[in-house]
Amino acid sequence: MLRFPLSSFSDGFSTPLPTLPPIGWQILAVAVWLGLIGLLAEGLRRSGGSAEAVRKVVHMGTGNVILLAWWLDMPAWMGISASILFGIITLLSYRFPILPGLNSVGRKSFGTFFYAVSIGALTAAFWQTAPYYAVMGILIMVWGDGLAALIGQRWGNHPYKLWGMQKSWEGSLTMFGMSYIVSILLLMGIHGNLWQLWLISLIIAATATALEAFSKLGVDNLTVPIGSAIVAFWLNQALLV
């Protein structure tokens, strides 16, 4: 048991610190991380940041909690339960002003809800046996899709239209590059530096970029992570086994 020494006090007694079970510390770690992201987003909002910038800070910050969950070896049921709860909250927020900072993007979008669904689906599918596929899919969505939107809006000087939606080459190239980096780093950590990994990562990045190009109603928050994870799983089974 952890104890805080009180020898400096005149009574000389020692008082034990409160103890938590492992799951309690896991929940506390996640809560602290999400609290820091919330403070950062609120600070950005108060300093005059755009609604889209605030939304992307939350999008990227909360998504990275998957790394914390992986490091702490959190059970799958926690991730699935959290995604269900957050999914319900986001559905309610489309009717009530619960999450105005996340849903005020200037267009009709269910991206926040799809975000929750994708995390729950990937956790249910891969967490018990191959969690790195879930991590890969979510991080591709977090870093690829998140930075693609920010860079595309800020420096997207070469637009193109696809299925009636306007994108930019700058944003799509960012999506491709970040998806490739996430894929190769995770795969190298699992299998080692094999030539197949470079090819697999290229295919994953191309798939994620193509899926992100179709983002009507925010559906890319569902198709990008799930599609990337499935392609990664299938290619690894086909080329590395």
Side-chain angles (χ1 to χ4, degrees):
M1 180 182 296
L2 294 175
R3 292 180 180 272
F4 180 77
L6 298 178
S7 56
S8 59
F9 293 87
S10 59
D11 59 11
F13 290 99
S14 294
T15 302
L17 281 172
T19 59
L20 292 173
I23 192 171
W25 288 113
Q26 292 171 340
I27 294 173
L28 180 61
V30 171
V32 169
W33 174 259
L34 295 179
L36 291 174
I37 296 303
L39 290 174
L40 178 60
E42 181 63 17
L44 180 62
R45 186 186 70 82
R46 288 177 179 271
S47 65
S50 67
E52 182 67 8
V54 172
R55 192 177 76 92
K56 286 304 178 183
V57 165
V58 176
H59 169 97
M60 297 170 70
T62 55
N64 278 292
V65 79
I66 194 66
L67 289 172
L68 186 61
W70 192 20
W71 177 55
L72 294 175
D73 195 23
M74 298 178 71
W77 68 263
M78 290 181 63
I80 296 171
S81 300
S83 68
I84 292 173
L85 176 62
F86 191 67
I88 293 172
I89 293 174
T90 55
L91 285 178
L92 291 174
S93 74
Y94 293 120
R95 185 173 181 84
F96 306 102
I98 300 175
L99 301 172
L102 294 183
N103 294 323
S104 57
V105 296
R107 64 183 185 278
K108 186 174 180 59
S109 173
F110 294 97
T112 309
F113 172 70
F114 290 141
Y115 192 179
V117 172
S118 64
I119 291 175
L122 288 175
T123 301
F126 296 112
W127 201 254
Q128 297 290 344
T129 56
Y132 37 86
Y133 292 121
V135 173
M136 180 185 298
I138 293 168
L139 289 186
I140 285 175
M141 174 178 65
V142 168
W143 289 102
D145 181 63
L147 289 179
L150 292 176
I151 290 178
Q153 290 179 10
R154 178 64 179 83
W155 293 287
N157 297 321
H158 299 86
Y160 67 92
K161 283 194 173 183
L162 189 64
W163 295 304
M165 292 167 290
Q166 182 164 305
K167 297 287 183 177
S168 71
W169 286 110
E170 290 84 357
S172 293
L173 287 174
T174 300
M175 179 69 189
F176 181 88
M178 292 307 303
S179 300
Y180 181 81
I181 291 171
V182 168
S183 300
I184 195 66
L185 288 177
L186 282 171
L187 291 177
M188 287 178 66
I190 298 164
H191 298 291
N193 190 5
L194 304 175
W195 71 266
Q196 294 100 322
L197 302 185
W198 300 91
L199 175 61
I200 290 173
S201 297
L202 284 172
I203 297 174
I204 295 171
T207 301
T209 304
L211 291 172
E212 192 273 336
F214 184 80
S215 55
K216 192 171 185 179
L217 299 178
V219 73
D220 55 322
N221 278 357
L222 183 68
T223 58
V224 167
I226 293 179
S228 300
I230 290 175
V231 169
F233 173 78
W234 182 81
L235 289 174
N236 274 275
Q237 294 297 311
L239 298 179
L240 295 177
V241 175

